[in-house]
Amino acid sequence: VQLQASGGGLVQAGGSLRLSCVASGRTFSDSATAWFRQAPGKEREFVVGIRWSAGSARYADSVRGRFTISRNNARNTVYLQMNSLKPEDSAMYSCAMGSRIIFSQLGLPSSYDYWGQGTQVTVSS
């Protein structure tokens, strides 16, 4: 299984970006998927995770209401729509995929088996 994230870039505060995560070797539909981010000098931070079979997403408090995770089955792609971006959202964003992850553990990096390489998001003030 390989995951490839893309869509990062430089955007002004208040702007939007949409990140993509394409999977090969497995479909997202029977998995749990998450986005994490890591800024320089900081620990990896959970952004959002979802169990597609249950349709239940868990968002970090810092992004709830601004970020939305979605999926395109035909393209086997997961998206992270990021609106109202803030400078503190700047980080390397990575997607991850796992199996049989209970809701309470969606935020744990150790729950996931596969990771994409990351895409950089920089928000200027």
Side-chain angles (χ1 to χ4, degrees):
V1 176
Q2 290 186 330
L3 304 177
Q4 184 165 357
S6 63
L10 174 64
V11 64
Q12 289 188 334
S16 299
L17 282 174
R18 189 179 75 163
L19 306 184
S20 300
C21 179
V22 180
S24 58
R26 183 175 175 179
T27 61
F28 283 110
S29 59
D30 62 349
S31 74
T33 309
W35 288 92
F36 289 82
R37 65 188 183 186
Q38 188 167 20
K42 295 187 177 181
E43 294 188 353
R44 182 181 291 168
E45 177 188 16
F46 171 73
V47 176
V48 58
I50 186 168
R51 300 185 305 167
W52 295 109
S53 60
S56 54
R58 177 179 175 182
Y59 289 88
D61 291 341
S62 59
V63 307
R64 187 177 295 112
R66 300 188 296 121
F67 291 10
T68 304
I69 190 170
S70 63
R71 183 183 75 188
N72 183 314
N73 289 336
R75 297 182 177 182
N76 205 30
T77 301
V78 168
Y79 302 102
L80 180 65
Q81 179 66 45
M82 306 186 296
N83 298 329
S84 302
L85 283 162
K86 305 175 181 180
E88 52 262 43
D89 294 319
S90 297
M92 182 72 74
Y93 283 71
S94 299
C95 55
M97 178 192 288
S99 303
R100 294 183 291 276
I101 302 174
I102 62 175
F103 189 80
S104 63
Q105 294 182 345
L106 284 172
L108 299 177
S110 59
S111 297
Y112 299 88
D113 303 309
Y114 307 104
W115 290 81
Q117 85 286 3
T119 185
Q120 179 68 39
V121 172
T122 303
V123 184
S124 62
S125 57

